[in-house]
Amino acid sequence: MADKFKDEMKKILLSKKQEILKNLASKGDSFKSLLDDVDPKDEADIAADDIDGKMLESMSREDMNKLNLIDAALSRIQSGRYGLCMKCGQKIAEARLRAIPYAVLCINCKSQDERFNR
């Protein structure tokens, strides 16, 4: 895989990482301000807030997972393993990496995994 492509992917990954970190920080500030404005509530309001809290938590979990995938991709760039399928060892197509820069499986292995997990 060409160094120019790896450099391009590194910039994209770092940009995505920065975007996620900003998003997580803004969610934290928004959530704090919501908690500061809490009034006494009835049971329905408390239940709704619980659901909202769980949604925020799951969104943050998803962002954290994506952040971990991005960090792993950056490490693979550093170690020279970026763009190689973690399952079969073949090259991952550049088109796939452009779509999902932190992909760890080639399209064939990903398809097999999805069929197996149905």
Side-chain angles (χ1 to χ4, degrees), residues 3-65:
D3 287 340
K4 184 178 177 183
F5 178 74
K6 287 182 186 177
D7 289 342
E8 181 184 345
M9 292 292 97
K10 184 176 181 178
K11 287 178 186 174
I12 290 170
L13 287 162
L14 289 171
S15 174
K16 287 184 179 295
K17 181 177 180 174
Q18 191 65 30
E19 183 181 318
I20 291 170
L21 291 173
K22 283 181 184 177
N23 190 22
L24 287 171
S26 71
K27 284 180 189 173
D29 291 343
S30 298
F31 192 63
K32 259 191 219 177
S33 69
L34 284 174
L35 290 177
D36 291 341
D37 295 335
V38 171
D39 292 331
K41 301 178 180 188
D42 65 17
E43 289 179 25
D45 289 338
I46 293 169
D49 285 350
D50 186 46
I51 291 168
D52 290 343
K54 287 180 181 177
M55 284 178 57
L56 276 173
E57 183 181 307
S58 97
M59 287 169 45
S60 294
R61 226 180 290 135
E62 185 178 315
D63 285 342
M64 292 304 294
N65 185 38

Side-chain angles (χ1 to χ4, degrees), residues 63-77:
D63 285 342
M64 292 304 294
N65 185 38
K66 193 177 284 188
L67 195 58
N68 288 334
L69 290 169
I70 289 169
D71 283 339
L74 291 168
S75 292
R76 288 192 305 278
I77 289 173

Side-chain angles (χ1 to χ4, degrees), residues 69-112:
L69 290 169
I70 289 169
D71 283 339
L74 291 168
S75 292
R76 288 192 305 278
I77 289 173
Q78 211 48 35
S79 69
R81 303 277 309 148
Y82 183 75
L84 298 177
C85 178
M86 300 290 269
K87 191 171 183 179
C88 71
Q90 297 296 314
K91 287 184 180 180
I92 300 172
E94 284 188 14
R96 177 160 170 74
L97 291 171
R98 286 189 190 281
I100 307 169
Y102 44 81
V104 294
L105 298 176
C106 68
I107 195 71
N108 291 334
C109 290
K110 181 66 176 170
S111 295
Q112 286 175 355

